[in-house]
Amino acid sequence: MTVEKAARKLGPARRSLWIYHFNASGCNGCDIEFAAALTSRYDIERFGAKLVPSPRHADVLVVTGAVNSLTRDSLRMIYDQMPEPKVVIALGTCACSGGVFDGCYNVAGGVDKVIPVDIYVPGCPPKPDAIVEALARIRGVKERKAVCEVKRGGRGKD
Amino acid sequence: MDGATAVFAALVFPGLLFTFLMGLFFEYVERKLVARVQRRIGPLYAGPGGVLQPLYDFVKLLVKEELPPEGVDRLYYWLAPLLAAAAPAYGMAFIPVSSFRLSIDTPYDYVFTLFLFSFAVFATAAAGYAVYSPYTAMGVGRLVVQYSVYEAIFASTLALASLQTGATSFRGLIEYQALHGPLALYQPLGLAAAVVALLAKLEKTPFDLPHAKQEIVAGWMTEYSGRGLAFLHIAKDMSAVWGSALIVAVYLGGPLGPLYGALGGLVDAAWFVAKMVAVYAAVAFISSLAGRVRVRGLAEKIWGALLPLVFVQFLVVVALRWLV
């Protein structure tokens, strides 16, 4: 029920989720799937989500990849720059737990070793559907409706 | 015009409240249109068809925490977003949106617009310089360069309209167009130049250098959050309303159209709003198809392409005055 807790924390902000995306030493697999969620087939702008360039504008921090000793301080700083209320989504197995890199000499582990994480979206990489589902549940849209919309989008004129 | 009417014009219609609501609607139109161009759906679940999404964004930013960075100039950080939002609302109060005279009506309000232009840019630049970080400094620098480039075009097109009609007020412009037809018939080149200058003024894609995401984070508004960001966002939307309203009033006959003056001015207001939305939809469409110009190419693109157009238009206007 962590998603519902995150939605309660956001309050009115859950109706307009501005997302800042940070890659903490990921392999870009999750980033590509996340970018796909923004494009025409999945289109998370339906929920009012949009990608913002500055962490000070953001409500949601999406982190991909395991945290290593180089990105640890940057991640902490980005998190501190975001105004309350804020939600952190760990996207992909590496961000959730460190994945295959857990235990390396330079890897701190999952994102939750550095900042508090509200929602874990595992997968290597997670499907865009999983990202859509997480955002739809924060937004309060019924999951079935969100998935239906995805299917209709996929049947487009292309 | 008495004081009460002027206050009503500045605060309700066509000033602050009207501009605010139209600004929210314009942002919705733009987001939906850009989404359709990219084969997406755009905002969907906020209100009918997602029309309340910009309002939700605004309210969310208002209630969010505001985090002023260290070493910020408190006064400007607090004041500049308000001034930036006030400039377009005040500018709109002079625009004759309806034949039922609600706008502030002075003999030189058309000329006064030029002052408000520079004031709006000054407020934005002050908002950027209130927080002196590398990204805001670069954003403001680009903003001022861009302003000095497009302002020459915009001011000269407005001056050409004034030259042909002999008017220094919006009332005079509308009266001329009521007699001779919309100014776009005589000055199509001026209209084209003004639309491109409007793109640069609104920082839309070919000219979005001051807040170019991939280069300088969010430019002059990088360090804003919460309330300040809400006002800066709404200031941008309201500038879009004001800019389109200027183009409509100067070139497209303003509130003139079939059934002009019916229903106590409601029909004219509807004409004006419809033309404004059409102009802004065209602007958003152009910007959704374009790529960004380089900083070095900015003056070359705008001045090199548009100043000859404006000059040809100037010759046409002089010839018209001489012939007619």
Side-chain angles (χ1 to χ4, degrees), chain B residues 85-153:
Chain B
Y90 191 48
M92 273 300 281
F94 293 96
I95 307 271
V97 171
S98 152
S99 66
F100 184 62
R101 293 222 159 265
L102 283 172
S103 52
I104 300 175
D105 191 8
T106 64
Y108 299 105
D109 49 14
Y110 184 54
V111 185
F112 185 61
T113 304
L114 287 179
F115 162 72
L116 278 180
F117 265 152
S118 41
F119 182 77
V121 173
F122 163 74
T124 322
Y129 273 146
V131 199
Y132 202 75
S133 79
Y135 297 127
T136 55
M138 279 171 78
V140 173
R142 287 177 172 199
L143 178 81
V144 174
V145 167
Q146 183 159 312
Y147 168 73
S148 60
V149 170
Y150 75 74
E151 180 68 356
I153 304 292

Side-chain angles (χ1 to χ4, degrees), chain B residues 128-198:
Chain B
Y129 273 146
V131 199
Y132 202 75
S133 79
Y135 297 127
T136 55
M138 279 171 78
V140 173
R142 287 177 172 199
L143 178 81
V144 174
V145 167
Q146 183 159 312
Y147 168 73
S148 60
V149 170
Y150 75 74
E151 180 68 356
I153 304 292
F154 216 107
S156 42
T157 53
L158 293 185
L160 282 180
S162 195
L163 183 65
Q164 181 172 350
T165 58
T168 52
S169 69
F170 283 109
R171 180 204 282 261
L173 276 172
I174 300 294
E175 277 166 2
Y176 181 91
Q177 296 185 69
L179 284 177
H180 300 91
L183 216 55
L185 296 178
Y186 310 99
Q187 305 197 0
L189 296 177
L191 174 61
V195 167
V196 177
L198 182 66

Side-chain angles (χ1 to χ4, degrees), chain A residues 16 45 56-57 59 84, chain B residues 40 57 60 64-65 223:
Chain A
S16 85
E45 202 190 1
R56 287 183 191 277
H57 303 183
D59 311 297
E84 292 283 349
Chain B
R40 292 186 289 114
D57 289 355
K60 174 204 78 178
K64 252 180 108 79
E65 184 190 14
E223 306 289 346

